[in-house]
Amino acid sequence: MTLNNWPPSLTTEQESHLLELATDYTLASGLVYRPPAIAPGTTPSTTSAIHAPYSLFPTPFPRHLFQQAQQLQPLYNALYAHVTTDHPFLDEVVGGAVAKVDEFQGKLYELWKQVEQEGVKQPLHLGLFRSDYLVHALPGAATADHTIKQVEFNTISSSFGSLSSKVTDLHRYLLKTNSYPTDVPELKLENLPPNPALKGLAAGLAAGHKAYGVARSAILMVTQDNERNAFDQRPLEYELLETHGIALHRIPLSQLGPLLTLDPTTSALLLTLPHAPNSPPTEISVVYYRTGYSPPDYVHPTVPSSTLWSTRLLIERSLAIKCPTLALQLSGCKKVQQVLSSPDRLASFSNKGSTPSTLSPPPTAALSQLDLDALLDSATNLYPLDDTPAGNAALELAYAHPERFVLKPQREGGGNNIYRSDIPPFLDSLAEEDKKRREGEPREGKGKGTKGEVVSELGVYGVCLFRAGGGDRVGGGEGGAEVLVNETVGQLLRTKGAESDEGGVAVGFSVIDSLLLV
């Protein structure tokens, strides 16, 4: 078998049988979404479900690249711990560039600086990360010569850990029951790696809770209104309760304002449970954001935007451990990723005298030169679009060869990127917006299989608990980060039609998949 002759051929009867087994498994195991709203202005049903989009077969993926991505994750965890605790770096890259041209990132930066000036109550940061990769294959190159290139690094609301674990279980179930064709020797259990993402991400939240140190406290998951992806979130709640004995409360951001207060002495975050308003408030150990990563998250039909931002500020001022803090969320913006693709800038996050730890989980945030080389090898070419000489040269490239590029804004959640021939007219529209700004003008703000050529994107989950200090970093900064937990905890494979540019599952561009290692 090669990467080009997959999946195995099925008769109509075989395909029908496989689809029936798979669909039953998805519904029985909670691999589901809430259905879409039936009409504009209505809310999704909370009493019915449909299966999440999934692939019927696992997708072949080079074993050595999967192993490389897993081994890279602790290095990326440590790198972003360094970035988050290097305030001068964030001031320069975000405050000096992104915040000046992006209103949303500017608001996040403003609140971060406000809390920093007041005095941070909780020095610990918790990251549930996901680093996304595409396989880079040169024409005619053998599989052994393929490489992986990082698409992006997610520091907030890294989703699908629970559902991706269930898709892996689905494919392993179909294999164990001999439901797949038996004449494909590569389809064997040792080539379908387990996926501990659900347990690993829950263990990361539990580590934050334990570090907080108050036994009767609970974790707060901040969600969106009318969340269709609730069944990717609920399993974390159940795992925390059953395995770790920790309660988790899921509450939309729009409802939190009147429910949260700060203890006037300790700054502990206190939550009045909406279903028990007369009971004593619950102290919150960890706040885990599954919202708050894009401008629409701070817009609501009945709650003023200022109230939603005030809620975010209240949480940031509290003693609770944030996943992520404002600083950690800012460190995940695309401009930071672009700056870190420069060897000189990346080198400023290495440690003097650190021992080589290439492709192995470092015990601290120390990054050796060999580690930096491994990170650089996984980076793709990233170009700025600013007023620097490099930015002007990149602008010329984008107009001359748009088919070679993806234009990325400082946004998360899928559906935001601009591709190929759409880039020049979009850049023209930005130029027109700049002209208006200069002139003072206002700005306007299913149960059936599908076959086709596909492209897959690998995401690797990581957990990192850290605080400032603990490293003699080259380049000064603030001494680096002291890393308390640094782990690789699972994976997500998203597969989409080759004709599609975007890759988000929640926004309808791809399906959840699993790996067949080759």
Side-chain angles (χ1 to χ4, degrees):
M1 182 186 70
T2 69
L3 293 174
N4 298 317
N5 63 357
W6 188 259
S9 297
L10 298 173
T11 66
T12 302
E13 291 76 14
Q14 287 175 321
E15 181 177 341
S16 178
H17 177 65
L18 202 56
L19 281 169
E20 181 180 358
L21 287 177
T23 300
D24 282 354
Y25 187 94
T26 64
L27 297 175
S29 64
L31 180 49
V32 293
Y33 274 176
R34 288 194 170 124
I38 58 175
T42 63
T43 59
S45 170
T46 58
T47 58
S48 60
I50 59 174
H51 68 72
Y54 66 91
S55 65
L56 192 56
F57 285 88
T59 293
F61 196 93
R63 185 184 301 271
H64 71 288
L65 296 185
F66 172 61
Q67 293 170 342
Q68 180 186 352
Q70 284 190 307
Q71 293 166 338
L72 277 170
Q73 190 62 39
L75 304 185
Y76 272 113
N77 293 347
L79 173 62
Y80 277 85
H82 268 331
V83 169
T84 301
T85 55
D86 191 334
H87 293 185
F89 178 85
L90 289 180
D91 285 336
E92 174 196 346
V93 176
V94 180
V98 177
K100 293 182 177 180
V101 297
D102 187 299
E103 183 178 355
F104 175 68
Q105 296 289 338
K107 183 66 174 179
L108 294 172
Y109 180 78
E110 173 192 332
L111 296 187
W112 171 55
K113 298 306 291 184
Q114 181 178 340
V115 174
E116 184 185 21
Q117 186 174 20
E118 294 171 356
V120 175
K121 300 298 191 298
Q122 176 56 257
L124 289 172
H125 306 252
L126 176 62
L128 300 189
F129 299 143
R130 197 185 69 228
S131 185
D132 295 334
Y133 303 92
L134 287 173
V135 174
H136 181 57
L138 295 174
T143 301
D145 296 323
H146 293 173
T147 60
I148 52 171
K149 296 296 181 182
Q150 189 186 64
V151 175
E152 63 183 0
F153 191 86
N154 302 276
T155 63
I156 182 170
S157 190
S158 302
S159 59
F160 293 110
S162 301
L163 295 189
S164 66
S165 297
K166 293 179 185 295
V167 171
T168 297
D169 292 341
L170 163 65
H171 292 157
R172 291 169 68 87
Y173 157 75
L174 293 173
L175 180 59
K176 289 177 181 178
T177 55
N178 295 318
S179 302
Y180 285 140
T182 57
D183 59 348
V184 184
E186 290 81 5
L187 260 178
K188 49 189 177 183
L189 207 56
E190 55 263 40
N191 292 338
L192 273 63
N195 186 357
L198 168 57
K199 291 185 176 295
L201 293 172
L205 291 169
H209 175 86
K210 181 179 180 181
Y212 186 79
V214 177
R216 295 182 64 85
S217 59
I219 294 174
L220 170 63
M221 181 189 292
V222 186
T223 66
Q224 296 176 331
D225 287 289
N226 306 315
E227 177 61 80
R228 291 187 59 214
N229 198 24
F231 304 108
D232 185 53
Q233 300 169 1
R234 287 290 187 188
L236 289 168
E237 174 189 348
Y238 307 149
E239 175 69 15
L240 281 165
L241 191 61
E242 292 300 319
T243 301
H244 304 279
I246 301 169
L248 180 147
H249 304 290
R250 292 177 67 256
I251 301 177
L253 177 62
S254 63
Q255 298 178 18
L256 279 175
L259 302 177
L260 292 177
T261 57
L262 295 187
D263 183 284
T265 302
T266 65
S267 294
L269 185 65
L270 304 178
L271 171 68
T272 298
L273 295 175
H275 60 273
N278 298 321
S279 298
T282 298
E283 184 170 350
I284 297 301
S285 58
V286 175
V287 178
Y288 173 40
Y289 288 100
R290 291 295 292 259
T291 187
Y293 50 79
S294 66
D297 293 334
Y298 296 90
V299 177
H300 192 272
T302 61
V303 181
S305 180
S306 59
T307 299
L308 300 177
W309 281 111
S310 294
T311 301
R312 180 72 189 267
L313 178 59
L314 177 76
I315 294 171
E316 196 72 16
R317 284 171 163 158
S318 77
L319 187 65
I321 296 172
K322 274 72 70 175
C323 180
T325 57
L326 286 166
L328 183 50
Q329 182 174 350
L330 290 168
S331 75
C333 75
K334 303 300 187 292
K335 180 62 179 178
V336 169
Q337 184 185 353
Q338 181 262 313
V339 170
L340 292 177
S341 67
S342 162
D344 290 340
R345 296 308 299 269
L346 185 61
S348 70
F349 292 98
S350 67
N351 284 60
K352 295 177 181 178
S354 62
T355 57
S357 57
T358 304
L359 302 184
S360 62
T364 69
L367 292 171
S368 72
Q369 184 57 51
L370 292 176
D371 295 331
L372 300 182
D373 290 343
L375 293 172
L376 283 171
D377 189 54
S378 68
T380 190
N381 292 329
L382 298 167
Y383 301 87
L385 278 180
D386 51 27
D387 291 333
T388 64
N392 292 329
L395 185 64
E396 292 182 11
L397 275 175
Y399 274 110
H401 302 286
E403 72 282 356
R404 292 167 47 190
F405 296 99
V406 177
L407 182 60
K408 288 195 168 190
Q410 313 294 332
R411 295 290 181 270
E412 302 297 336
N416 298 300
N417 298 333
I418 310 298
Y419 295 84
R420 302 186 181 96
S421 60
D422 292 335
I423 292 176
F426 182 81
L427 292 174
D428 289 340
S429 71
L430 293 182
E432 184 63 27
E433 281 195 23
D434 286 342
K435 180 181 177 182
K436 289 180 179 180
R437 191 182 299 113
R438 289 193 300 269
E439 295 173 354
E441 297 181 16
R443 299 166 61 194
E444 297 180 0
K446 308 179 180 173
K448 183 179 180 181
T450 301
K451 300 177 182 178
E453 294 295 320
V454 297
V455 175
S456 296
E457 182 175 318
L458 173 67
V460 177
Y461 294 102
V463 168
C464 194
L465 181 67
F466 62 95
R467 59 184 164 220
D472 183 16
R473 269 230 336 277
V474 174
E478 298 188 350
E482 179 186 4
V483 174
L484 307 177
V485 176
N486 185 0
E487 297 177 350
T488 303
V489 296
Q491 67 272 357
L492 163 70
L493 194 69
R494 289 170 293 176
T495 296
K496 63 180 182 179
E499 75 285 351
S500 173
D501 287 320
E502 288 287 357
V505 175
V507 289
F509 294 109
S510 61
V511 302
I512 308 171
D513 201 347
S514 78
L515 298 158
L516 175 66
L517 299 181
V518 295

